[in-house]
Amino acid sequence: MSKKIGFIGLGNMGYAILSAFITQGALDKKEIAVVSRSEKGRLLAEKEDVVVFSNTKELACFADIIILAVKPKDSLAVIAEIKQELKNKALLSVVAGLNYKTIQQTMDGVNVRVLTALPNTPVQVCQGIIALTKETTFTEEEKKFTQTIFESAGMVEWIEEKFLPVFSAIAGSGPAFAAIFAEALADGAVLEGLPRALSYRLAAQMMTGTGALLLETKNHPGIIKDSVSSPGGTTIEGVAELEKNTFRSALIAAVRASAEKFNRLIH
């Protein structure tokens, strides 16, 4: 199965996805085209030795599947600009907050197959999570192809569009929450005299290892917590301190706040 992929926009997320496709061998460079209004995006595309177009209409004519990766404020104008070129083609949006219904309305009756996706930042290291929405008019072949290429960037989950806000809160905002957690752990270690660089490495590897343990064993997180928490031991002492400072409640509130904000951004 071979399809030409066109990227409209090559910011941080667009480039992370493109880079994963290339480094993992999911696509041949000759099958990828880019158009970017920023000089940085054009230079990155040239660096990756992919096809570079000067305008969106040319790219839309070239590609079988067009990946829309522009800023949310620019997305509807870009779609309107190329809607005739998108006729009978596939448009995949990775624009946060841009839903399926709005894209179809912007197409104004022009027949285009639509799929919305939401990747998170760890796709940069091919360890991301990518949500693909079940509400789609992609053909079965296109859905299978899309899943295959995105699996080169991480874990793919098909979800209902109504769950995108909470997906964004956990997978999208979660890296920021996890980074704060890692930084705080490292600060605690530095307070106890450990060098900062080592503290960051330990915190990062601990999170990587614990995540892998959860995924591979499929155990409830509480089982892993209990297995480490010996009676009267050091871990349960720390757990008690976290509970005293409403650690869980704070995380639940953070997820809710992020999801509610995402809901307000949907258009």
Side-chain angles (χ1 to χ4, degrees), residues 29-47:
K29 292 183 179 183
K30 295 183 179 64
E31 298 172 327
I32 304 173
V34 170
V35 62
S36 175
R37 291 177 180 173
S38 74
E39 181 65 19
K40 179 182 176 182
R42 289 191 293 272
L43 290 174
L44 287 172
E46 289 170 3
K47 173 189 171 186

Side-chain angles (χ1 to χ4, degrees), residues 175-249:
F177 305 156
I180 292 170
F181 176 55
E183 184 182 33
L185 284 176
D187 283 347
V190 170
L191 183 64
E192 292 298 310
L194 206 64
R196 182 163 292 278
L198 175 58
S199 298
Y200 283 147
R201 289 200 302 275
L202 294 179
Q205 181 58 41
M206 179 279 299
M207 290 195 300
T208 299
T210 305
L213 191 62
L214 283 166
L215 288 171
E216 290 185 22
T217 65
K218 296 182 175 60
N219 283 336
H220 186 284
I223 292 176
I224 294 176
K225 182 263 295 179
D226 288 351
S227 71
V228 182
S229 302
S230 303
T234 57
T235 302
I236 198 63
E237 191 79 19
V239 169
E241 197 66 23
L242 290 175
E243 297 291 357
K244 186 194 302 182
N245 288 279
T246 67
F247 180 70
R248 295 179 197 235
S249 296

Side-chain angles (χ1 to χ4, degrees), residues 165-166 169-170 173 177 245-262 264:
V166 68
I170 297 175
S173 302
F177 305 156
N245 288 279
T246 67
F247 180 70
R248 295 179 197 235
S249 296
L251 285 176
I252 292 169
V255 169
R256 173 165 286 179
S258 294
E260 289 177 349
K261 178 67 172 182
F262 189 96
R264 294 196 294 272

Side-chain angles (χ1 to χ4, degrees), residues 8 21 45-46 48-49 52 104-105 123-124 126 131 133 150 166 186 191 193 198 204 217 230 233 245:
I8 299 180
F21 289 171
E46 289 170 3
E48 295 293 349
D49 195 27
V52 180
Q104 291 286 26
Q105 288 174 341
V123 299
Q124 294 176 30
C126 303
T133 57
F150 271 101
V166 68
L191 183 64
L198 175 58
T217 65
S230 303
N245 288 279

Side-chain angles (χ1 to χ4, degrees), residues 113-150:
R113 297 181 299 282
V114 176
L115 172 64
T116 56
L118 192 61
N120 69 351
T121 52
V123 299
Q124 294 176 30
V125 290
C126 303
Q127 291 291 325
I129 310 171
I130 304 96
L132 300 177
T133 57
K134 293 180 179 179
E135 295 85 346
T136 178
T137 46
F138 268 34
T139 66
E140 287 302 316
E141 180 190 37
E142 287 168 342
K143 286 163 64 176
K144 183 177 179 181
F145 176 80
T146 301
Q147 174 164 339
T148 298
I149 60 174
F150 271 101

Side-chain angles (χ1 to χ4, degrees), residues 68-136:
L68 186 66
V70 298
K71 294 178 180 178
K73 66 182 180 65
D74 300 326
S75 58
L76 297 184
V78 171
I79 293 171
E81 181 181 285
I82 59 171
K83 64 182 180 183
Q84 294 302 326
E85 287 74 22
L86 290 175
K87 185 177 180 180
N88 297 323
K89 294 205 171 189
L91 176 67
L92 190 154
S93 169
V94 296
V95 179
L98 182 60
N99 64 16
Y100 173 89
K101 183 179 179 181
T102 302
I103 294 174
Q104 291 286 26
Q105 288 174 341
T106 306
M107 291 304 300
D108 194 27
V110 176
N111 182 39
V112 60
R113 297 181 299 282
V114 176
L115 172 64
T116 56
L118 192 61
N120 69 351
T121 52
V123 299
Q124 294 176 30
V125 290
C126 303
Q127 291 291 325
I129 310 171
I130 304 96
L132 300 177
T133 57
K134 293 180 179 179
E135 295 85 346
T136 178

